[in-house]
Amino acid sequence: PPVPAPAPAPESTRETGPDPAPEVSPKPASESTPESAPVPTPEFTPGSAAEPASDPTPDSVARDAEAEQEASLAALRQRLVVSAVLATPVVLLAMVPALQFDFWQWLSLTLAAPVVVWGGLPFHRAAWTNAKHGAATMDTLVSLGTLAAFGWSLWALFLGDAGMPGMRHGFDFTVARADATSTIYLEVAAGVITFILLGRYLEARAKRKSGAALRALMHLGAKDVAVLRGGREVRVPAGTLVVGDRFVVRPGEKIATDGTVIEGSSAVDASMLTGESVPVEVAVGDTVTGATLNAGGRLVVEATRVGNDTQLARMAKLVEDAQNGKASAQRLADRISAVFVPIVIALALATLGYWLGNDAGLTAAFTAAVAVLIIACPCALGLATPTALMVGTGRGAQLGILIKGPEVLETTRRVDTIVLDKTGTVTTGRMTLQTTHTAESTDEAEVLRLAGALENASEHPIAQAVATAATDATGPLPTPEDFANVPGLGVQGIVEGHAVLVGREQLLAEWEIRLPAPLAEAKQAAEAAGRTAIAVAWDGEARAVLEVADAVKDTSAEAVRRLRALGLTPILLTGDNRAVAESVASEVGIDEVYAEVMPQDKVDVVKRLQADGRSVAMVGDGVNDAAALAQADLGLAMGTGTDAAIEAGDLTLVRGDLNAAADAIRLSRRTLSTIRTNLFWAFAYNVAALPLAAAGLLNPMIAGAAMAFSSVFVVGNSLRLRTFKGA
C-alpha cells in the first residue's frame, strides 16, 4: 500500500484512572532517639502557588528533618563512644586482678562516674517518667541496677574499706558471705550502660530513615516546567503552577501535575506511580497524572489539580496515615521487664525485711537487698537484641535481604497472609515478546526482522519490546523508509522494499487486509489471556500475530510454593485487568486475586484483610504500593523498585527475586528465635544468682562471672545465624 506522511504519536485508548481524592497535607515522618524529643514536623504544601520566598518547600522541609535526625543519631553515637572508651578499662581492671594497682578503685570511680551519670542519663530519665506513670520497662531495670551498683560502690569507697590502698578483687568463686565494705561493682554499672547504649544506637540507626518514604514520594515530581505565557514557553519551578496553567511536556519529561491534555498525543509511562508496565495512550481530552513520564510525543497539558490536590500528594498522605497508624511492636525486653522489675523490687524489699527481722543489722540487711538489685541487672540484656540483629542482618545482606530493625522480626512470626503485587514482583515489569504466530509459508525470522525494523523507529514501549526481541533473534535491524506513525493504530513504512504494516487489526483493515482464520484465532486467544496482540502484514497480506506481555519471572512459581510451605496464603493484587491477573495467578499457583485495583485502593484491600482477622505481609515495588506496604503488618519491598516503596517496607529484597521473600521470612523468624533465646539466658544466669544475693552470699566474682558468661553465651548463640542458608 502507499505510505502516508508521518503522523503524530498514538491516540488514547484508555484513561489513567479515576480522579484523585480531596485535599491532603503530607508531612515528613519523624523519629526520636534517647537523645531528644521527636523531631518537629512543620506542615508544607507542595506546589502551592504564590508562596513567599521564605516559606518552606518540600525539599527544605525534608532536608531539615533529615538534618535533625542525623544530629540526634550523632549525639547518641557520641554518648556511646565516650561511654565505651571510659567503661572498657573499668571492666578490665575489675575482671583481671593482674591489672589492679594501688588505688585502682579510685581510677575506676573516676572513669565510671561519667558513664553512669551522663551515659546513662536517657535510661534514668525514662525510668523516672515510667515511675510517674506506674510503669516498668527495660529502662527501669537498667536505671535501678546501675544506680544500685554505683551507689553501693560509693558507699564502700567512702564509708567502707574499699577505698583503702592495696584493695584487690580476686578470682574467688566460693559461695560465702562477702565483706560489703570492701566490695565495689563499678564495672557492672559502666558495662551495662555501655552495652545497652550500643543496642539503642543500632536500633536508632536502623530507624533513621523512617520518614524517607514520604520524602521519596515528594521527590518523584518534576522540579520545573515549561509554562505557556503569552504564546511563549517560560521555564518556572513546578511548585508555582496554578490551576488553569498550560504547560508543555516533551518526550522523556515528567508531567508536572495532574491535568488534561489539550494538544498532542503520546504514550505515558505511569509505571513509577501505578506499578503497571503497560503504557497509557493519551490524546486531547484525556487526563494525565503528575510525576508520570511522557514516553512519546509532545503534549500541552492544562493543570487541573496542584499541590495537595494531586494524586501524588494523596498517595503521600496514605503512606503517612499508614505509618502513623501502624503500632510499633513493643520490645520483648520491655515486656519481660514489666514483670521482672516488680518481682526484683519486691524480692529486694523482702530481703531487707527478712534480715532486719532476724537482727542481722541495718548494714547487712541493706547489703543483701542492694545485692539483689545489682545481680538482677543483666549486662547481656543490652547484647541480646543487637548482636542477633547484627549477625542476622549481615547474613541477610549476603542473601539480598535487608532487615530494618528488631521491631520487624516479631511480625514475621504472626503473618498468615502474603499479598503480592503483580508487576515487577511476580512478573518482570517489562513488556516482552512472548509468542510469534506466523501465517502459512511465512518465516518467523523474516517477520521479526521486518516488524522489528519498523517498531525500532517508534518510541512506544510495546514497539520497543518487539524491536528488542527482533534484535536478539536476528541481529542488527534494517532502517525503514517512509516511516509513519498512525495515531491509535500502529506504524507503517518501507523495509527492504516491502510495504510493512504493524499494529492493530484495524490498521490492516484500512488497507483491506484481513487476518486468516488461524491468525485471527491466535489474536483472540492472546487477548483473552490479557496479552497485547499485534498484527503484521506486508505486500498486501497478513503475515503474523505477535503476542506482547509482561512475563512472569522464572522463580515466581517456586517462590509461591515456598511461601505456602511457611504457612502463608498468597494473594495477587494488581491494577491490571482481570484476564491478565488470573492468567498470571494460574501460572504461579495463586487462587485468590484482586484485579483492577487503583493505586489509592490497594491500602484498602490490605485493611479489609486485616479487618477479617488476617495478619498481612505485602510484597511490592512501585510508588503505588508504598501505602499498602506501610499499612501491612509486614512490608517487603523489592529492591529493584522505587525508593518510596523501599523506604515504606520493613524488609527490602535486594535481589528482586520473589524467592527472597520466602528467605526473608525464614531468616527473620530464625533471628527472632535467636533473640528470644538470648533474652532468656540474659536473665537466666542472673536469676540463678538471685537466691545467693538474697541470702547475703553474693560474691563479686560470681556477679562478674554471671555477667560475663551470659554475654559470651548471647554472642555465641547469635553467631549461629551465620550458617543460615537461603534458596
Side-chain angles (χ1 to χ4, degrees):
V3 179
E11 290 180 350
S12 169
T13 56
R14 59 179 177 154
E15 295 185 350
T16 57
D19 290 341
E23 179 175 339
V24 295
S25 299
K27 301 178 184 178
S30 63
E31 62 186 2
S32 61
T33 71
E35 289 300 309
S36 63
V39 178
T41 56
E43 188 169 349
F44 65 89
T45 307
S48 58
E51 292 182 335
S54 60
D55 283 357
T57 64
D59 283 345
S60 67
V61 171
R63 284 195 300 270
D64 291 345
E66 192 168 2
E68 290 212 38
Q69 292 163 7
E70 183 61 39
S72 181
L73 185 66
L76 179 57
R77 181 169 56 245
Q78 181 187 46
R79 194 180 295 269
L80 168 63
V81 170
V82 172
S83 297
V85 169
L86 295 176
T88 300
V90 175
V91 174
L92 291 176
L93 285 171
M95 302 300 292
V96 183
L99 298 178
Q100 295 171 5
F101 50 87
D102 287 347
F103 300 111
W104 66 272
Q105 63 272 41
W106 294 103
L107 175 62
S108 293
L109 175 63
T110 304
L111 297 174
V115 178
V116 175
V117 177
W118 177 76
L121 183 60
F123 309 116
H124 306 321
R125 185 185 293 135
W128 175 247
T129 302
N130 291 329
K132 289 191 294 185
H133 292 85
T137 66
M138 178 180 167
D139 292 323
T140 307
L141 183 57
V142 171
S143 181
L144 270 178
T146 55
L147 289 178
F150 188 68
W152 176 315
S153 301
L154 288 177
W155 173 77
L157 285 169
F158 287 98
L159 301 177
D161 299 330
M164 301 297 290
M167 192 277 285
R168 298 288 188 270
H169 274 179
F171 274 100
D172 181 9
F173 287 100
T174 58
V175 178
R177 192 176 299 279
D179 180 9
T181 63
S182 62
T183 303
I184 61 175
Y185 295 97
L186 294 172
E187 77 281 3
V188 175
V192 166
I193 285 175
T194 301
F195 280 126
I196 296 182
L197 275 176
L198 171 63
R200 294 293 172 89
Y201 170 72
L202 294 173
E203 184 179 352
R205 188 176 66 173
K207 292 180 177 179
R208 179 165 57 96
K209 295 183 178 179
S210 65
L214 294 176
R215 294 195 292 273
L217 279 171
M218 289 298 98
H219 291 160
L220 278 177
K223 298 299 183 291
D224 54 28
V225 59
V227 180
L228 293 175
R229 300 271 170 84
R232 295 189 309 111
E233 293 184 20
V234 180
R235 182 69 60 173
V236 300
T240 64
L241 281 175
V242 296
V243 173
D245 275 347
R246 296 186 174 188
F247 58 93
V248 177
V249 188
R250 291 183 172 78
E253 290 184 343
K254 289 182 179 180
I255 297 173
T257 192
D258 298 354
T260 302
V261 177
I262 60 171
E263 183 182 321
S265 60
S266 180
V268 173
D269 179 3
S271 59
M272 69 171 65
L273 200 61
T274 66
E276 302 308 324
S277 56
V278 179
V280 179
E281 307 285 352
V282 298
V284 174
D286 290 328
T287 59
V288 291
T289 305
T292 55
L293 186 68
N294 180 15
R298 177 181 182 272
L299 296 174
V300 177
V301 178
E302 181 175 312
T304 56
R305 290 178 174 84
V306 298
N308 292 337
D309 288 336
T310 64
Q311 184 170 342
L312 180 64
R314 182 177 184 272
M315 293 180 70
K317 177 62 175 175
L318 287 173
V319 173
E320 181 190 27
D321 290 345
Q323 286 184 333
N324 292 341
K326 181 179 178 181
S328 59
Q330 184 183 17
R331 287 195 303 272
L332 290 174
D334 277 347
R335 297 217 299 272
I336 296 172
S337 298
V339 177
F340 188 68
V341 171
I343 291 175
V344 168
I345 293 174
L347 182 59
L349 293 174
T351 300
L352 178 65
Y354 173 81
W355 286 110
L356 287 175
N358 282 274
D359 297 325
L362 181 60
T363 299
F366 180 76
T367 297
V370 174
V372 170
L373 294 178
I374 292 174
I375 198 63
C377 186
C379 181
L381 191 63
L383 288 172
T385 296
T387 53
L389 189 64
M390 280 192 295
V391 179
T393 53
R395 181 59 183 148
Q398 294 175 338
L399 299 173
I401 302 163
L402 302 180
I403 303 172
K404 285 196 173 179
E407 70 279 358
V408 171
L409 301 176
E410 190 172 8
T411 308
T412 63
R413 180 178 58 86
R414 299 195 308 266
V415 292
D416 52 34
T417 302
I418 186 162
V419 177
L420 307 175
D421 174 57
K422 179 184 74 69
T423 307
T425 303
V426 177
T427 65
T428 62
R430 300 184 307 274
M431 300 299 289
T432 56
L433 179 63
Q434 300 290 299
T435 309
T436 302
H437 304 277
T438 58
E440 189 176 352
S441 302
T442 301
D443 180 57
E444 181 176 337
E446 186 177 16
V447 170
L448 291 177
R449 189 177 68 256
L450 297 181
L454 204 58
E455 294 282 53
N456 196 37
S458 171
E459 297 171 323
H460 199 288
I462 292 179
Q464 287 301 305
V466 174
T468 299
T471 301
D472 293 341
T474 67
L477 301 173
T479 301
E481 301 173 10
D482 297 326
F483 172 82
N485 193 2
V486 183
L489 296 180
V491 292
Q492 57 191 35
I494 305 297
V495 182
E496 295 182 338
H498 300 284
V500 184
L501 303 171
V502 182
R504 299 180 184 274
E505 186 178 5
Q506 295 94 308
L507 178 63
L508 275 63
E510 288 190 358
W511 300 102
E512 298 182 354
I513 301 173
R514 300 194 177 279
L515 293 176
L519 293 184
E521 292 173 2
K523 173 181 174 295
Q524 291 173 357
E527 291 175 344
R531 298 183 175 184
T532 300
I534 304 170
V536 181
W538 65 79
D539 296 341
E541 293 185 28
R543 308 286 181 163
V545 168
L546 310 177
E547 289 187 27
V548 176
D550 182 8
V552 173
K553 293 179 181 177
D554 296 336
T555 57
S556 291
E558 178 193 355
V560 169
R561 286 193 296 272
R562 294 182 63 212
L563 291 169
R564 286 187 183 278
L566 290 170
L568 304 177
T569 301
I571 295 175
L572 190 68
L573 178 65
T574 179
D576 219 333
N577 67 68
R578 179 156 293 277
V580 173
E582 291 182 347
S583 174
V584 170
S586 174
E587 188 172 344
V588 299
I590 296 176
D591 302 323
E592 193 171 349
V593 178
Y594 289 86
E596 300 175 8
V597 179
M598 296 307 297
Q600 58 269 30
D601 297 330
K602 287 190 174 184
V603 67
D604 294 331
V605 172
V606 173
K607 286 180 179 179
R608 286 201 301 272
L609 292 171
Q610 291 171 328
D612 291 339
R614 300 198 195 187
S615 183
V616 181
M618 168 79 187
V619 187
D621 73 325
V623 175
N624 63 312
D625 302 319
L629 287 168
Q631 175 64 39
D633 300 287
L634 179 69
L636 296 93
M638 304 296 281
T640 51
T642 63
D643 290 343
I646 291 171
E647 299 302 343
D650 301 309
L651 297 165
T652 300
L653 313 179
V654 177
R655 299 203 308 259
D657 178 354
L658 193 55
N659 260 319
D663 288 340
I665 292 174
R666 285 180 53 235
L667 176 60
S668 296
R669 288 178 176 178
R670 174 101 173 261
T671 304
L672 176 65
S673 176
T674 300
I675 289 174
R676 287 176 175 274
T677 304
N678 287 350
L679 288 171
F680 171 78
W681 287 110
F683 282 99
Y685 286 110
N686 299 78
V687 169
L690 277 175
L692 297 178
L697 302 176
L698 179 62
N699 183 293
M701 290 314 301
I702 292 178
M707 182 181 75
F709 191 70
S710 60
S711 298
V712 169
F713 182 91
V714 161
V715 172
N717 189 47
S718 299
L719 290 175
R720 294 170 57 240
L721 287 169
R722 293 187 301 180
T723 63
F724 178 87
K725 297 187 183 300

